[in-house]
Amino acid sequence: MGQKARVVSEALYSDVSRAQSDPIGAPRVRFAPSPTGYLHVGSARTALFNWLFARRHRGVFILRIEDTDAERNREEWVDGIFSALSWLGLEPDEGPYRQSERGELYAAAIEKLVSAGKVYACDCTRDEVLRRTKQATTPGYDRYCRDRGLAPGPGRLLRFRVPDEGNVVVRDLIRGDVEFACSSIEDFALTKSTGAPLFVLANVVDDIEMRITHVIRGEDLLPSAPKNVLVWNALGGPELPVFAHLPILVNERRQKLSKRRDPVSVDLYRDQGYLSSAFCNYLALLGWSPPGGEEIMQIEQLVSSFDLEDVSHSPAFFDVRKLTHFNGEHLRAMAGEEFVSTCLPWLAGLVTQSRSLEVDAFRQLAPLVQERVSTLAEVPEMVGFLFVDLPEVKEVAWEKVMRSPVSKAILDAAASAYRCCDWAKEPIREATLQIAENAGMKLAKAQAPIRVAVTGATVGLPLFESLEVLGRAKTLERISAAFERMGAENIVLENAEPENTANTGPEPASGVAPV
RNA sequence: GCCCCCAUCGUCUAGUGGCCUAGGACGCCACCCUUUCAAGGUGGUAGCACGGGUUCGAAUCCCGUUGGGGGUACCA
């Protein structure tokens, strides 16, 4: 942050601290999305920063739907935004306001600007403007209608009369003062030719009316900030708001996240099993870093340490791998019961018999699941073996460990040992260890065929705990099913004696892969 | 084209002139732990875009270059 920015922010922060003891001066911020059907991750980050700032300084977080464009205004388009915000826990203190319901305000503002001569009517068609722009000296619109004295009316849009000289200074908490020469700003349109208000107008009218103190938004809006300032002053608004233009979020090609090729909908992450707390945590660290350095934080910690002056300047890449790591951390930080109830909806598709029985089985293994998953979506696969009659054995798993006489011998031994041992984790482990020793193998290697027979996979939850919860009957049933399949595949049983691999040729021992 | 913003490991970042031999986190690699897989622990990998200044001293301040990005609608 440059020297200028620091000076500016110090001045503003003294304002803020004054505001804390004076509710009338408390910061008022707004998140102002347009209806898009879903919440974009970049928008979510903007909403989060606004919300955090408001919470941190005991201010007010306002939600305003910028739906002045009638063609893009459908009710379901806003519902998606509401539900995503609510999932994230970013509930507004005021609103939602809808610009489509605030037409009188804009009409009054237009009236005011017209009578003050701040705007003028223009009846140029887009083609005409485009054609003339090419040889014009001014940027954009060539001011053709500026002095024609056209009366406002149907078919004529209203343009802002940008001063010929001077600069517009945008005070930005993150970037310092940004100056724009008036000569580089075109006479922009404030209304459509139908008279309908455009974004630049409605946005400023509402910010004034809602007494917004801090405009926190994406950097892509920085070029429109000088226009906002111009209109604000023309409207005779009170003290200008302070801007804070957040660095944008980019993809791996360093371009603004696009809905066409990047996964940008917040819903997508919710549906993939990410926790809103982890999502907010990760989003907060995109462009901001906590003074302490500790990255894994709950929402309350975010609120207590957040500040706009710690926001960085450069675009940030949305890295789903780091998000996933954060999610795992948040999952593991949950209380056991909370983790169980959070998982339940993800298990709904697996329920076969008695729900309470299955929930109970899941609850027993949940602590082991909890430290192994990084998204909720991984849960069903991990415990699926509990809820079926016979597991679906993955072919690669079968190929890898079951095509061996040694494996068949282990299953054979396990079948008899498991028939009589006490059915609990420890005795099962003891019995299995005995089998391994008899076969001259490590426990790690010997448990593999049992795991495949019982769960269908080479990796999974700790085996003996899994067997205990599964129950003796199902365990034996699965082992014998695997045993029979091996018979059908002409895998012969051999002695469970310790073998001398040097003499038995290349086949047997190497047939069991360590898993 | 014009206007504006930005520039530290692959990524997110700490760094506000000496504490920097540049710190942390994700990822990756190795080892430890271990009933598989994770988790956890330990260690490692890798960076100040370039060129000029200012200064006793620059990742840090200034200028320029280069590179990247955003904006440029009767969308928001």
Side-chain angles (χ1 to χ4, degrees):
Chain A
M1 187 186 301
Q3 195 68 35
K4 265 189 296 188
R6 231 170 297 129
V7 171
V8 170
S9 81
E10 275 162 23
L12 290 162
Y13 274 85
S14 62
D15 284 346
V16 168
S17 34
R18 199 167 58 227
Q20 281 179 295
S21 55
D22 173 15
I24 296 167
R28 293 173 60 83
V29 299
R30 82 307 197 267
F31 173 54
S34 57
T36 47
Y38 60 89
L39 189 64
H40 186 288
V41 293
S43 304
R45 206 267 308 248
T46 300
L48 210 217
F49 279 35
N50 272 281
W51 183 89
L52 286 173
F53 183 75
R55 284 289 157 282
R56 173 78 168 82
H57 297 290
R58 303 183 185 289
V60 180
F61 174 62
I62 300 166
L63 177 57
R64 181 172 83 213
I65 304 298
E66 306 225 320
D67 55 357
T68 52
D69 188 0
E71 281 159 36
R72 292 207 216 167
N73 185 14
R74 300 234 307 264
E75 195 52 34
E76 58 270 35
W77 277 180
V78 279
D79 286 344
I81 291 172
F82 292 158
S83 68
L85 281 175
S86 142
W87 177 67
L88 290 169
L90 309 179
E91 304 289 353
D93 301 311
E94 270 184 34
Y97 296 103
R98 290 158 197 260
Q99 293 188 325
S100 55
E101 295 169 354
R102 298 164 63 84
E104 340 68 74
L105 244 35
Y106 313 131
I110 290 167
E111 184 61 38
K112 192 170 174 180
L113 292 171
V114 169
S115 54
K118 305 284 189 184
V119 297
Y120 60 90
C122 166
D123 64 357
C124 298
T125 66
R126 173 190 284 249
D127 287 346
E128 286 168 1
V129 174
L130 237 45
R131 184 164 43 77
R132 279 193 255 110
T133 299
K134 284 176 187 164
Q135 58 253 54
T137 51
T138 50
Y141 181 66
D142 70 348
R143 304 180 170 180
Y144 180 80
C145 294
R146 198 181 238 225
D147 301 309
R148 287 175 67 204
L150 257 30
R156 292 172 181 176
L157 57 81
L158 258 22
R159 286 185 183 278
F160 190 85
R161 198 184 292 274
V162 176
D164 295 323
E165 314 232 306
N167 293 328
V168 179
V169 176
V170 174
R171 295 177 74 198
D172 190 294
L173 226 36
I174 296 169
R175 291 156 211 286
D177 288 357
V178 184
E179 287 194 9
F180 297 80
C182 286
S183 58
S184 72
I185 305 170
E186 70 171 330
D187 281 359
F188 51 95
L190 287 180
T191 70
K192 293 191 180 192
S193 53
T194 60
L198 249 19
F199 158 72
V200 262
L201 204 235
N203 182 271
V204 172
V205 169
D206 282 338
D207 282 352
I208 292 174
E209 200 275 336
M210 294 174 187
R211 308 187 328 274
I212 299 302
T213 59
H214 297 73
V215 173
I216 305 167
R217 42 148 57 159
E219 189 190 353
D220 49 340
L221 268 337
L222 183 51
S224 72
K227 297 177 186 173
N228 295 156
V229 170
L230 249 16
V231 175
W232 184 288
N233 289 335
L235 246 17
E239 196 184 351
L240 279 162
V242 179
F243 292 88
H245 286 99
L246 273 18
I248 56 167
L249 262 31
V250 297
N251 60 26
E252 65 285 349
R253 288 168 54 193
R254 302 250 115 216
Q255 287 164 338
K256 198 167 118 176
L257 251 26
S258 94
K259 61 183 166 208
R260 295 194 74 183
R261 55 176 299 280
D262 304 311
V264 294
S265 169
V266 168
D267 298 345
L268 213 62
Y269 295 91
R270 187 234 281 136
D271 297 345
Q272 283 173 0
Y274 290 92
L275 257 24
S276 65
S277 67
F279 198 76
C280 286
N281 188 173
Y282 177 66
L283 237 34
L285 295 201
L286 250 26
W288 173 77
S289 60
E294 180 50 53
E295 294 194 330
I296 304 298
M297 310 168 87
Q298 296 301 325
I299 300 291
E300 313 80 60
Q301 299 171 276
L302 249 26
V303 169
S304 60
S305 52
F306 181 81
D307 250 320
L308 245 20
E309 63 185 1
D310 297 323
V311 174
S312 73
H313 308 169
S314 33
F317 169 60
F318 185 91
D319 186 356
V320 73
R321 288 183 306 180
K322 189 159 182 176
L323 201 215
T324 303
H325 174 260
F326 273 44
N327 204 57
E329 294 279 357
H330 279 253
L331 244 15
R332 270 170 257 126
M334 290 172 106
E337 263 314 302
E338 188 191 4
F339 176 73
V340 170
S341 53
T342 303
C343 286
L344 256 24
W346 290 81
L347 263 19
L350 295 174
V351 171
T352 50
Q353 337 157 346
S354 159
R355 172 137 183 102
S356 64
L357 226 60
E358 298 190 338
V359 168
D360 198 57
F362 174 69
R363 180 172 287 119
Q364 290 180 64
L365 289 179
L368 301 177
V369 176
Q370 188 171 6
E371 63 182 12
R372 250 157 274 258
V373 294
S374 53
T375 68
L376 262 6
E378 296 165 23
V379 175
E381 188 179 0
M382 203 161 270
V383 295
F385 72 94
L386 286 174
F387 310 127
V388 291
D389 288 332
L390 278 180
E392 194 181 313
V393 179
K394 291 179 183 165
E395 269 320 299
V396 286
W398 185 272
E399 293 296 328
K400 194 172 175 188
V401 321
M402 302 301 250
R403 292 205 178 282
S404 133
V406 180
S407 293
K408 194 174 185 189
I410 284 171
L411 289 189
D412 191 40
S416 19
Y418 290 172
R419 229 178 296 277
C420 49
C421 74
D422 283 343
W423 202 251
K425 169 195 160 187
E426 247 337 284
I428 296 171
R429 196 186 86 92
E430 291 298 333
T432 313
L433 187 59
Q434 197 53 245
I435 294 169
E437 280 173 5
N438 290 345
M441 300 167 82
K442 294 250 186 182
L443 182 54
K445 205 169 169 184
Q447 54 96 49
I450 303 171
R451 177 184 294 281
V452 172
V454 176
T455 72
T458 54
V459 299
L461 262 16
L463 220 216
F464 311 123
E465 289 84 341
S466 299
L467 299 187
E468 177 183 338
V469 174
L470 217 213
R472 194 198 304 268
K474 279 194 168 186
T475 299
L476 292 175
E477 189 185 337
R478 293 176 188 194
I479 287 175
S480 90
F483 191 83
E484 277 170 32
R485 178 174 166 187
M486 289 167 107
E489 292 177 4
N490 292 321
I491 296 166
V492 293
L493 195 53
E494 69 172 33
N495 287 342
E497 289 299 309
E499 42 186 297
N500 185 337
T501 50
N503 293 337
T504 47
E507 279 299 315
S510 59
V512 182
V515 290

